Amino acid sequence: MYRLFVGLRPPPPIRARLRATMHGVGGARWQSDDQLHLTLRYIGAVDRRRAEDIALALGQIHGVVPDVRLDGVGRFERQGRTDTLWAGVAPQAGLGGLHRKIDHALVRLGLAPEGRAFIPHITLARLPRSLGTAPEIDTFLAREASLASEPFAMPHLILFESHLTSDGARYDTIERWPLG
């Protein structure tokens, strides 16, 4: 089985800017440079044949190269505890359109439609349950609230495979297609 998702990779200077923010929350599992991406659509576990069909469908998607910028930071919570710290990405309209095209293509293949709201972001850290209410989380969010960048492009749609390890997830590029 292949655990897949579709995403975009920010360019090296943006990834360096993001890595510079990654400190100040003890126990956080900060993302490595190789892990920094913007997820457009999580797919999940599929067999080889389905993975090949997905790759074919994604190769037919055409879209404008998203021209975006970093825009603040935030958190995702689960059961009242912060479990993820992220950097926001704006504007969201072009990314939302690309997300919808991908979702429609995957639904035509028989996959369930995306069930969650699409919130464009780049994950910075995963937090263990024990850290979910630590005061340093609020300190991080206040310190990085003004995170911003000049506009940048993410010109390739990428199909990633995720491998879960004891050290966190490792992402391998399965296929990439130019946008535009």
Side-chain angles (χ1 to χ4, degrees):
M1 296 297 275
Y2 301 90
R3 190 170 181 259
L4 304 177
F5 67 93
V6 184
L8 303 168
R9 281 274 284 160
I14 297 301
R15 296 193 315 265
R17 173 71 182 100
L18 292 170
R19 285 192 321 274
T21 70
M22 295 181 187
H23 60 89
V25 181
R29 286 190 332 231
W30 298 104
Q31 301 292 283
S32 69
D33 184 78
D34 289 339
Q35 292 173 311
L36 293 173
H37 69 278
L38 185 151
T39 299
L40 288 168
R41 174 63 152 79
Y42 177 73
I43 297 169
V46 297
D47 62 25
R48 181 184 178 100
R49 181 172 173 220
R50 178 62 57 105
E52 290 169 351
D53 290 343
I54 288 167
L56 286 172
L58 292 174
Q60 301 303 309
I61 292 177
H62 301 286
V64 175
V65 174
D67 194 30
V68 297
R69 68 186 187 292
L70 296 178
D71 186 32
V73 294
R75 71 173 104 196
F76 289 131
E77 294 182 329
R78 190 173 296 173
Q79 299 176 347
R81 296 180 182 275
T82 300
D83 68 353
T84 305
L85 298 173
W86 49 262
V89 178
Q92 299 180 0
L95 294 169
L98 192 54
H99 165 76
R100 283 187 297 280
K101 284 182 180 185
I102 293 165
D103 195 47
H104 287 38
L106 296 176
V107 167
R108 283 193 300 272
L109 291 177
L111 275 73
E114 179 73 61
R116 299 178 288 189
F118 178 62
I119 302 170
H121 69 280
I122 299 169
T123 298
L124 301 175
R126 306 259 185 220
L127 305 178
R129 289 185 61 99
S130 61
L131 256 181
T133 58
E136 55 206 87
I137 295 169
D138 291 330
T139 301
F140 169 83
L141 293 169
R143 183 186 77 225
E144 300 299 339
S146 62
L147 177 68
S149 71
E150 293 296 318
F152 60 93
M154 294 185 282
H156 293 93
L157 187 65
I158 304 170
L159 178 61
F160 290 99
E161 182 179 4
S162 175
H163 303 276
L164 300 178
T165 72
S166 59
D167 295 328
R170 186 186 86 239
Y171 307 134
D172 292 330
T173 297
I174 300 300
E175 189 98 31
R176 71 191 266 160
W177 303 270
L179 291 168

